[in-house]
Structures are given as C-alpha cells and as structure tokens.
Amino acid sequence: MSGLILPPGQGRRLTTRAQDVTFKATAADGSGTSIFEVVVPPGFDVGAHTHGRFQEFFYVLEGTLELFAFEPVGRSGESWRDWVSEAGDRVVHAGAGSSMFVPSGCPHAFRNSSDEPARMLFQSSPSPDHERYFEEICEIFAAGQAVDPDAVQRLRDRYDVQQITPLRYEPHPEPTYSGSPS
C-alpha cells in the first residue's frame, strides 16, 4: 500500500476563465475525501447553497475571500453578503490561514470581492461527486462567454447542491487610462 505525494503545482488541473482547479487527492487515489486546490478569480461568487449529504472544508492559502457558514435569520434577496444568524454571526473577510468547516445541511458561500485571485485548499467528503461536479462545471464555463444558468442548475440538481442565491462571475473590468503616459 502506498500514499500519494505531489510536488507543488502537480495534480490534474482544470482551467477555464472562471475556474482553476487542481485535483490533489481523489477517489481514484483511494481517498474517501476529495481534495482540491482552487484559484478563485476576482468577481467570482459561488452563491449561497447547501448540501444534503456532503461536508466541506475550506482553507485560504493566499488572498482574501468573503465566507459564511450559518443558517441566516432570513434567506432573502439575491445576495447572501448581508445575512446574519440568530446568534449574530455575519459574513467574514477571511485572509490566508483562515478556514471554514461546513457540515451537511449548513448554508454557506464564498466570494472573491478583491482585485486579486485568491487560492484555497478545498475538501469535500465523501468523494467522488465533487470531482465530477468540477469536471462538468468547467465544461459549462468553457462553452462560451455567457454561463448557461439552466445548465448550472441541472448540474447542481445532479450533485446535491441546493442553490439559495445565484452563482455569479462578474470579472473586474480592465483599468482604463486617460491622458498621456508618464
């Protein structure tokens, strides 16, 4: 029996304009937990959602993400960023070294509101559903400029994702300069 050792930057990588996921340990490796390194681009919001049978763990490696993992007093509006729990919990601006554990059934989300990519380690248990989910969501993002919301919803229905607020990817526009260069 052998373990799995991957040097930095190694693993099967899926990349699109909105997704950059490197598979680190999968069901094919004998892992009961799927482990990924994920680069979250500026403007990406996974949307608030729950899973009925999965638990997840997120660890911010670089950058800053907005995170939440609680049942809000009310699931209102198109955005989760103003939600508050009965205990007063609010969205957290999480930097490198921050982590979030999400038990099954707990509403949660992450968003990169900064101008720089963020990088996180993401674990989902049990495997392999999130592995297939990432493969298919990358296909959807690679299909064209606009993301087909119906295709995303069908995918989420298949993989135990109960969406509460929409997935959004609104990349920050490139800066424009006026005047003469100095």
Side-chain angles (χ1 to χ4, degrees):
M1 179 180 228
S2 296
L4 175 66
I5 299 171
L6 295 176
Q10 296 297 301
R12 185 166 64 102
R13 188 171 181 190
L14 302 174
T15 305
T16 69
R17 63 188 169 85
Q19 296 284 297
D20 186 346
V21 178
T22 303
F23 293 57
K24 295 297 187 177
T26 65
D29 301 313
S31 180
T33 300
S34 299
I35 304 171
F36 313 93
E37 183 177 325
V38 179
V39 176
V40 183
F44 185 84
D45 177 349
V46 73
H49 61 281
T50 63
H51 305 284
R53 64 182 186 273
F54 292 101
Q55 60 182 14
E56 297 177 324
F57 179 78
F58 302 83
Y59 186 88
V60 180
L61 298 166
E62 293 176 354
T64 303
L65 294 171
E66 293 175 272
L67 306 173
F68 100 92
F70 55 79
E71 183 61 55
V73 172
R75 294 180 180 187
S76 59
E78 290 283 310
S79 175
W80 50 269
R81 293 187 316 271
D82 296 328
W83 289 358
V84 179
S85 77
E86 238 177 62
D89 298 320
R90 294 183 175 276
V91 170
V92 172
H93 293 270
S98 300
S99 65
M100 175 173 73
F101 170 71
V102 183
S104 298
C106 179
H108 61 287
F110 62 85
R111 175 178 179 254
N112 183 350
S113 60
S114 77
D115 292 333
E116 298 293 326
R119 194 167 57 93
M120 70 177 169
L121 187 68
F122 168 61
Q123 297 178 331
S124 177
S125 182
S127 62
D129 279 7
H130 265 74
E131 298 161 30
R132 291 191 292 258
Y133 176 85
F134 276 130
E135 291 167 345
E136 291 183 38
I137 195 87
C138 283
E139 289 175 14
I140 290 170
F141 278 116
Q145 284 296 334
V147 173
D148 178 357
D150 293 331
V152 172
Q153 187 58 53
R154 287 190 301 274
L155 172 69
R156 288 180 172 234
D157 289 345
R158 279 196 311 279
Y159 290 108
D160 186 34
V161 180
Q162 293 76 48
Q163 200 67 32
I164 304 167
T165 65
L167 177 147
R168 290 190 171 97
Y169 178 48
E170 299 164 352
H172 296 285
E174 292 298 320
T176 55
Y177 301 96
S178 59
S180 60
S182 46

